[in-house]
Structures are given as structure tokens and as C-alpha cells.
Amino acid sequence: MAKFVLAGRADCPYYAKAELLADYLQKNLPNFRIHKITQHPHVWEEWLEDLCEKNKWSHRNSPIIWRELLDRGGEGLLLGGYNEFLEYAQLYYGVTSSMTTELMKIIAQENLEAHIEKELQEEVRKDLVNPLQVWITSASVPACYSLIPILVSGEVFGMCTEMSINLFDNEQAEEDLHLLMTETRNLVAPLLRSVSVCTRVEEAFRQAHVIIILDDSADREVYTLEGCIRSRLPLCRLFGQLIEKNAHDSVRVIVGGKAFVNLKTVLLMRYAPNVAHNIIAVALGVEGQAKAMLARKLKTAPSSIKNVIVWGNISGNNYIDLRKARVYRCESAIWGPPNYSRPVLSLIFDREWVNGQFVATLKKLTETGKQFGSILAAHSIATTLKYWYQGSPPGEIVSLGVLSEGQFGIPEGIVFSMPVKFENGTWVVLTDLKDIEISNQMMTRMTSDLIQEKLVALGDLISFQPYQSEYKDRMYSGLIQDEEKDLVMPDMVGFSDVTPLTISEKPYSQAPINGSEGKTMEEQ
């Protein structure tokens, strides 16, 4: 049996003519076999040089044809190029080709288009075979232990998406990382291809498709607020540069935690400008705390509360907006089908509870980070990723920290939590929502701290000055302040329903951050 290999540049007319002649011979001769190889014009010369060097041949043009000697273990015997193949076919088989030059060019162009399409299909096939590379920073913190089982369950990225998890932390945490790696492997999760540990900074985020930024696990001695803010800059700068250098071009970065979440996100954007559009901050933890409190008040499940909006600083001076919030499956005098809902504010008749206990509790949780434990942090991150990859529920509002482009009158250049929806693998800010205007005083209160945090971190501002308002001492009272009157839902007429927007404000202090027990602000 004669087995020939025909290789050439995809757009070569002579390769096209030799190919058709080889196809004719293979079709009409029972013992003639041809294997064809095409290469893109950009890589042809390099590929040919490597082939000739490996086999000790001398050939410089397209195509190249050789015969594989099956009785000698497939050893290659160089035949030559187009002319040599035509002479061989005419001498041994009495067959030649009369293809015109014009037809040769047409077929060569078709070959190039077919080759490019084949390469694209191959890339798609590789994407299906290659696992999703997921990197988790500060992987020794408890939130990572709660996050991994959710990621490998298939609920986040889909039931057909395999993944490799890369645990990244400092060298001091290496022993804990190896224990976590062993536990993760013991899950025997069908979608988990591999687990690895990384403590070398230069290796971080290699080919990462997803990067999850958790709270830094390193202990710090920081005694001033300005020092605490500036301490975020070196790590964010390092991570941003590594993301630019090592990560996949389409990497998605999600920032979680309970301290300076907005600040860390905007700093990462600054030092990873090419992927800044794919860096977001998780706000669902704060949203979940608010929904849980409302559900207890209404004696229903937290999952029945929808469309609670978190505005502003996720881990600081934020504002919980209930004007669009609705409750489903609530036990009351009025019942309806599963998709029937009612406004939350129309069902809470205790206005003093909303203005008092609800606001004060959320304010305290934001200040201290208490009850924002590993389970809530992990679930918030996983849910946000799920929405990012699979889309958020139709018609539902999701809170997300994104870079402001001036929407809703928010100053540009800061990361601000605002209402969005996820669709088609991306997020869209819901700028078309009605009756969610925010007063200038309220906007200033929420943005002042974020702007100052960024300036202090970058060294453009020496001292942080918390925003002060003439309303500060009485803003949590049961009365509607002048600056908040325009925020009340316009269709409310009953006194019990006239409820101002609730605000959770994080007071800043110039006092030392470390307490008598030596705990940092993030640990308190």
C-alpha cells in the first residue's frame, strides 16, 4: 500500500492542484492513501522549517509531499514538491492534471477559508474540553471553605462546565491551603478537574477565567483610618498588575468582603485597566441582611422579598431603598398566584420600626461586620457569579458595585452600588427605573466618603474628613427630614405608609483602630 502525506500552505494554488490529483488517485486506486495537512500562511514557513529539521530534509516551497514507508515503521521518504508529485503520478499511474491557473486560485481561496473555519471550530472545541480556571485569593479564610462546595456543585457555572480551582495565599498559609486542597479533592465532585495551591506571587492568576477576591487574611497593625485605607493600595496594585500580565483576556473579577469593598474594586480597576469592565463588587450580602430582617417582620421567608436596592458604599455609608421592594407568598388577607406580589412598604405598618430598629440594626451590622460570616459571604459571591454567567431572574433587581459613569447623578470614577440586571454574560445598570431619584444631600452623604477613600489611598489626600450634615443628629428619628421628603413614594397617602428611605451610615473615627485586645478594624 502506498501512503502519501501532502502538506501545504492553505492559500497555495499548487497545493490545491496537487490535492485534487491526490483525491482522484485515492478514489480510483485501491492501494493509494493520502493524508492532507494544511497550515495557515502565517505559520507555514516556521512549520516547514521544523519539519525539515526533524527529518533532515531540504525543502523550501509549498507543497511538500512525502511517502510513509509502512513496512519500515512509518519512516518518511521525501518525494518533493508539486512538480515531483505530478511526475510520480504520471510515471507510475499514467494520470496527470489539466487544472487551469484560474481554477487553482479559486480552490486555493476556498481552502484558506475552510482552514480558518476549522481553526475556529478547534478553538471552540478546546474551550469545551479545557476546564474553567477559577482562582481564589486569601484562600485560607473561612469564607473559602464555604464557597468551594457551591462552586463545584454546578449551580454557578452550569452543570456541564468543568473547572480547576487554584487556591492562592501567602506562604504562611501554605499548610492550611494543602489541607483545604485535600478536603476539596475528597469531595469527588464530577465537575472538579483539579485543585492546586499557589503561594508564589509571580505565578498567580495564570490563565485565570474567574478571580474571586476575598478579605485579606494577613494581620496588620494599623492605628489610623488613613493608614488602614492606604494599606489596601499595595496589594490591589500587585493584584491588578498580575491580572493584566497572567490572566485570560476575558477574565471576570469579583470582589467580596466586609471592609473597603468599593475601594478595593476601584483600585483593581486602576491597575488592571484592560479588564476594568469585568471587575465588580458584591453587594448581595448587605441586601440579604435587609431581606432577612424584613422577612422576620412580615413572617415570611427571606427569599420572598425581592427588589431591595443597596445604594452607595457596600461596606460603609450605604442606603437601603425599599421603594421597589415587593413581597411574594406573604400570608395576609389578600392571596394570589405564586407570581402575585405586594409592595413591602404597604404591608409594614410600623413606621417607627422601619425608621428605628431596621435602620439601626443594619447600620450596626455594616459598621462591625458581625453576622456577615463565611456562609453569607460565600453565598453572596456564588449567587452573583451565577447571575453573571446564567442571567438574573427576569424582572428582578440586583444590587451590584460597579464603576460609575454618571448614572443617577453619581460622580464618575468611583465604585458605587446600584440596581442592575444580568443578561447575556454581562450586567446592565437599570437607569430606566422610575421614582428612584435621590436628593443631592443624600447623594453627597453617600459619595463623599468614597471619593475621599480613593484620594487617601492614592496619596492625593492626607487626612480623611467624615461627611458632616446638619441633619446628622436627627436623621434616624421617626420624622421625615426636609432633605428626604422627595424620596418618599409619591402614591403613599396614609400616615402609616409615609416612610422615608432608610440609611445605614458608617461613622468614621480618627481614634486608633486597634482595640485593647489588639484586634484590627476588620477583626472587630
Side-chain angles (χ1 to χ4, degrees):
M1 176 181 291
K3 181 177 180 180
F4 290 85
V5 179
L6 170 62
R9 203 176 65 236
D11 63 343
C12 175
Y14 295 102
Y15 171 83
K17 189 170 184 177
E19 177 189 24
L20 288 184
L21 176 59
D23 288 341
Y24 176 83
L25 293 174
Q26 181 171 247
K27 181 179 180 181
N28 292 277
L29 299 175
N31 294 323
F32 186 95
R33 292 292 179 267
I34 185 72
H35 175 67
K36 291 177 284 187
I37 301 174
T38 57
Q39 294 293 335
H40 195 280
H42 294 162
V43 301
W44 163 252
E45 291 185 2
E46 182 179 354
W47 182 89
L48 179 61
E49 183 178 349
D50 292 341
L51 175 71
C52 292
E53 182 179 351
K54 177 182 177 182
N55 294 280
K56 296 180 173 57
W57 294 338
S58 178
H59 191 84
R60 292 291 178 267
N61 301 318
S62 172
I64 180 173
I65 301 101
W66 69 91
R67 182 176 179 180
E68 290 190 346
L69 305 177
L70 302 181
D71 57 343
R72 299 184 187 178
E75 179 183 350
L77 178 64
L78 180 64
L79 181 63
Y82 162 75
N83 290 328
E84 289 79 7
F85 183 60
L86 254 63
E87 291 177 5
Y88 183 91
Q90 188 171 12
L91 178 62
Y92 281 88
Y93 306 114
V95 178
T96 188
S97 174
S98 58
M99 182 186 296
T100 64
T101 302
E102 190 65 28
L103 183 57
M104 289 168 59
K105 292 180 179 180
I106 294 174
I107 295 178
Q109 183 61 33
E110 292 176 351
N111 282 345
L112 178 60
E113 294 174 356
H115 179 78
I116 294 175
E117 184 178 354
K118 183 180 179 181
E119 284 185 331
L120 293 175
Q121 292 175 350
E122 183 67 16
E123 288 297 322
V124 172
R125 187 189 66 82
K126 288 181 179 179
D127 289 341
L128 294 175
V129 173
N130 293 336
L132 191 74
Q133 296 293 330
V134 179
W135 282 77
I136 306 176
T137 71
S138 303
S140 62
V141 301
C144 186
Y145 285 76
S146 301
L147 178 61
I148 289 176
I150 307 177
L151 294 180
V152 300
S153 67
E155 296 182 5
V156 177
F157 304 112
M159 298 304 298
C160 297
T161 303
E162 294 187 344
M163 72 191 72
S164 291
I165 293 180
N166 304 273
L167 307 173
F168 177 54
D169 212 326
N170 54 47
E171 292 182 354
Q172 291 76 15
E174 187 169 1
E175 183 177 350
D176 293 334
L177 294 181
H178 281 283
L179 290 174
L180 177 58
M181 179 177 66
T182 301
E183 287 191 55
T184 304
R185 287 173 174 171
N186 292 343
L187 290 174
V188 197
L191 298 177
L192 182 61
R193 181 79 67 86
S194 64
V195 188
S196 63
V197 167
C198 178
T199 57
R200 298 181 58 186
V201 173
E202 62 273 14
E203 297 294 328
F205 312 139
R206 291 284 186 190
Q207 294 302 310
H209 297 106
V210 177
I211 299 176
I212 301 171
I213 308 291
L214 300 179
D215 273 328
D216 185 14
S217 59
D219 293 327
R220 294 190 184 95
E221 283 291 326
V222 183
Y223 291 93
T224 65
L225 177 60
E226 289 83 358
C228 191
I229 292 173
R230 294 190 185 103
S231 68
R232 265 63 189 176
L233 179 64
L235 192 62
C236 290
R237 178 170 54 206
L238 175 63
F239 281 1
Q241 293 170 349
L242 289 170
I243 291 171
E244 286 278 297
K245 178 181 177 182
N246 295 339
H248 195 275
D249 292 340
S250 61
V251 64
R252 304 183 186 190
V253 183
I254 184 167
V255 183
K258 56 186 178 183
F260 298 102
V261 176
N262 297 54
L263 175 62
K264 291 187 291 186
T265 305
V266 77
L267 290 178
L268 284 173
M269 292 175 176
R270 179 182 180 87
Y271 294 106
N274 291 328
V275 296
H277 60 286
N278 266 356
I279 303 178
I280 60 175
V282 178
L284 291 187
V286 179
E287 186 180 306
Q289 290 174 334
K291 289 179 177 179
M293 288 192 63
L294 294 170
R296 287 195 295 270
K297 184 68 175 178
L298 296 172
K299 295 181 174 57
T300 187
S303 60
S304 299
I305 309 292
K306 307 291 184 183
N307 300 342
V308 173
I309 303 174
V310 178
W311 296 93
N313 192 343
I314 297 167
S315 52
N317 185 2
N318 54 49
Y319 166 67
I320 310 300
D321 190 345
L322 304 182
R323 286 174 293 180
K324 295 296 181 181
R326 304 190 70 86
V327 57
Y328 295 76
R329 301 184 300 276
C330 181
E331 184 176 351
S332 64
I334 302 176
W335 286 84
N339 60 349
Y340 174 75
S341 65
R342 300 179 66 188
V344 166
L345 290 177
S346 69
L347 295 178
I348 299 180
F349 301 101
D350 189 351
R351 183 167 61 90
E352 293 184 0
W353 176 84
V354 175
N355 293 331
Q357 183 179 346
F358 179 72
V359 170
T361 302
L362 290 177
K363 175 175 176 288
K364 183 177 180 181
L365 291 175
T366 301
E367 289 176 3
T368 63
K370 291 181 178 178
Q371 297 186 21
F372 192 74
S374 61
I375 296 178
L376 178 57
H379 186 266
S380 302
I381 291 170
T383 303
T384 305
L385 278 173
K386 176 183 177 181
Y387 291 166
W388 203 351
Y389 273 84
Q390 303 183 42
S392 53
E396 189 170 324
I397 300 173
V398 180
S399 301
L400 185 69
V402 299
L403 186 66
S404 170
E405 297 178 354
Q407 306 96 327
F408 308 107
I410 303 167
E412 297 183 17
I414 60 173
V415 170
F416 200 89
S417 179
M418 59 184 80
V420 306
K421 66 177 179 180
F422 288 91
E423 60 181 6
N424 301 324
T426 187
W427 45 266
V428 179
V429 178
L430 297 176
T431 55
D432 57 346
L433 290 178
K434 297 180 180 179
D435 303 323
I436 59 169
E437 293 79 10
I438 299 176
S439 70
N440 292 332
Q441 295 90 339
M442 185 75 72
M443 185 63 69
T444 302
R445 181 181 294 122
M446 288 190 291
T447 58
S448 173
D449 293 342
L450 288 173
I451 294 172
Q452 288 191 78
E453 283 180 1
K454 181 179 177 181
L455 293 175
V456 170
L458 296 175
D460 296 330
L461 186 66
I462 297 176
S463 178
F464 186 97
Q465 297 295 329
Y467 176 79
Q468 301 292 335
S469 169
E470 60 180 299
Y471 301 102
K472 185 169 183 179
D473 294 335
R474 56 194 182 95
M475 64 182 294
Y476 294 113
S477 69
L479 301 176
I480 302 176
Q481 306 304 335
D482 293 338
E483 66 174 294
E484 295 170 335
K485 285 181 179 178
D486 60 333
L487 300 181
V488 182
M489 293 183 67
D491 57 345
M492 293 180 180
V493 293
F495 175 78
S496 61
D497 288 340
V498 181
T499 307
L501 291 179
T502 58
I503 307 169
S504 177
E505 187 175 54
K506 180 178 180 179
Y508 288 95
S509 172
Q510 299 296 325
I513 294 174
N514 284 15
S516 58
E517 298 179 0
K519 295 182 178 180
T520 64
M521 185 176 67
E522 292 183 26
E523 295 171 328
Q524 291 179 348

